[in-house]
């Protein structure tokens, strides 16, 4: 009687060749993994005829409805913007828009291209930025450029000190002066240049995006306007404006001034 087992022969039962009973498995249809996920070409809605992958479409939508896309705050969107940037530039150019990508601070945004045409229409709507908003943005941008820290922290008291060259020469009404600075802080919070700390409402982090939007030429121009502003002794019309696809024309003190581009 033969009692030799598989283990006696040195074989693992798991290594045994499948019997003829299981040969039919090879004939079963393979399951396509791509079928488990939505195809890039699959319509997202009834009537979808987009030539771009879903992620490129979502990146485009966010570029048109956000002030900017940040690698720090929207890492997935940022990755899609980088991946599909060539196709996005084409789509944006069709709307007379430029895609700006600033790799140093991982920020992407769109800006209006200007040229003369009776048929062209502005897609981006100007967002009013007034004199004190511009002064604060100017000082914050210079502060960020001079700092080597990734995260620049500033307090409300320090922001007021930035306006030392204005007080008592132009705005002699200290209550109104403080109110204007407060509005400037609110505006820069709104356009996400400043981020208020949760545990201290009088402390802010200056967003690195300010160095992407406030280029050297913009800083030079605003510095010139600021010096003229201080030297004149009069509060001038608000000079600066920032365009945004999702922005709306806003009004401070009843003034509606388009101003210049940032």
């Amino acid at each position: 009687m033969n009692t030799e087992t598989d283990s006696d022969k040195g074989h693992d039962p798991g290594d045994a060749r499948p019997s003829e009973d299981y040969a039919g498995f090879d004939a079963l249809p393979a399951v396509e993994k791509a079928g488990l996920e939505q195809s890039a070409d699959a319509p997202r809605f009834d009537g979808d005829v987009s030539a771009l992958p879903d992620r490129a479409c979502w990146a485009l939508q966010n570029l048109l409805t956000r002030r900017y896309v940040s690698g720090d705050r929207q890492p997935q969107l940022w990755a899609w913007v980088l991946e599909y940037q060539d196709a996005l530039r084409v789509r944006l150019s069709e709307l007379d828009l430029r895609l700006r990508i600033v790799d140093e601070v991982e920020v992407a945004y769109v800006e209006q291209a200007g040229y003369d045409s009776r048929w062209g229409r502005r897609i981006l709507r100007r967002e009013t930025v007034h004199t004190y908003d511009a002064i604060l943005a100017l000082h914050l941008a210079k502060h960020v450029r001079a700092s080597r820290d990734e995260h620049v922290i500033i307090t409300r008291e320090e922001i007021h000190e930035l306006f030392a060259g204005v007080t008592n020469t132009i705005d002699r009404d200290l209550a109104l002066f403080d109110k204007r600075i407060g509005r400037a802080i609110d505006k820069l919070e709104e356009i996400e240049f400043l981020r208020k700390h949760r545990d201290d409402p009088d402390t802010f982090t200056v967003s690195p995006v300010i160095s992407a939007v406030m280029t050297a030429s913009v800083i030079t121009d605003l510095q010139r306007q600021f010096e003229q502003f201080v030297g004149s002794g009069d509060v001038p019309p608000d000079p600066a404006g920032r365009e945004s696809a999702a922005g709306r024309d806003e009004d401070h003190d009843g003034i509606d001034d388009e101003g210049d581009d940032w």
Side-chain angles (χ1 to χ4, degrees):
M1 182 176 180
N2 188 357
T3 59
E4 189 177 29
T5 64
D6 287 333
S7 59
D8 293 330
K9 294 179 180 179
H11 295 295
D12 187 338
D15 293 334
R17 301 177 67 87
S19 67
E20 294 296 329
D21 294 338
Y22 299 97
F25 284 155
D26 294 335
L28 292 176
V31 178
E32 295 184 6
K33 293 182 180 180
L36 300 178
E37 298 180 0
Q38 185 181 20
S39 168
D41 296 327
R44 287 165 292 133
F45 54 88
D46 185 25
D48 180 17
V49 294
S50 173
L52 295 178
D54 290 345
R55 293 176 177 181
C57 293
W58 295 327
L60 180 61
Q61 293 163 19
N62 278 272
L63 284 169
L64 288 172
T65 55
R66 293 178 180 267
R67 291 183 175 87
Y68 60 87
V69 170
S70 167
D72 177 39
R73 309 195 77 177
Q74 300 99 24
Q76 188 63 78
L77 285 174
W78 169 253
W80 294 343
V81 169
L82 293 184
E83 181 178 358
Y84 298 106
Q85 60 179 290
D86 291 339
L88 293 173
R89 290 184 195 280
V90 173
R91 291 291 183 264
L92 290 169
S93 291
E94 293 167 354
L95 300 176
D96 294 342
L97 302 175
R98 296 191 187 95
L99 174 62
R100 296 298 191 193
I101 296 178
V102 186
D103 291 310
E104 293 81 3
V105 291
E106 294 191 343
V107 167
Y109 61 94
V110 296
E111 63 181 16
Q112 189 80 47
Y115 65 94
D116 293 330
S117 171
R118 59 176 292 196
W119 302 110
R121 291 294 180 268
R122 300 181 74 87
I123 302 299
L124 301 185
R125 295 165 57 186
R126 191 178 303 275
E127 190 173 81
T128 304
V129 179
H130 292 276
T131 300
Y132 281 70
D133 310 336
I135 292 173
L136 179 54
L138 169 65
H139 286 301
L140 291 178
K142 292 166 65 176
H143 192 49
V144 168
R145 285 174 174 262
S147 175
R148 295 183 179 180
D149 296 330
E150 286 188 23
H151 301 288
V152 176
I153 307 297
I154 192 167
T155 65
R156 189 176 295 271
E157 181 180 355
E158 290 170 334
I159 289 175
H160 277 257
E161 291 174 359
L162 296 176
F163 287 83
V166 179
T167 184
N168 297 326
T169 59
I170 296 172
D171 262 324
R172 296 178 176 84
D173 185 335
L174 293 182
L176 181 58
F177 180 65
D178 288 344
K179 183 179 179 181
R180 284 174 169 163
I181 295 176
R183 286 180 174 176
I185 293 172
D186 292 342
K187 184 62 180 182
L188 265 61
E189 266 197 280
E190 179 190 331
I191 62 178
E192 301 179 54
F193 282 0
L194 285 174
R195 301 174 188 167
K196 185 182 296 183
H197 287 203
R198 292 181 179 178
D199 55 347
D200 185 359
D202 291 325
T203 300
F204 306 87
T205 297
V206 184
S207 171
V209 73
I210 197 171
S211 61
V213 176
M214 300 284 286
T215 61
S217 61
V218 170
I219 290 177
T220 300
D221 185 53
L222 281 179
Q223 181 65 36
R224 175 183 56 79
Q225 294 183 32
F226 174 62
E227 291 171 356
Q228 292 176 350
F229 165 55
V230 174
S232 67
D234 295 320
V235 178
D238 296 297
R242 172 75 170 99
E243 292 177 327
S244 170
R248 63 185 187 277
D249 295 327
E250 298 200 358
D251 183 21
H252 288 188
D253 291 330
I255 301 173
D256 185 12
D257 178 32
E258 284 195 346
D260 301 323
D261 292 344
W262 276 10

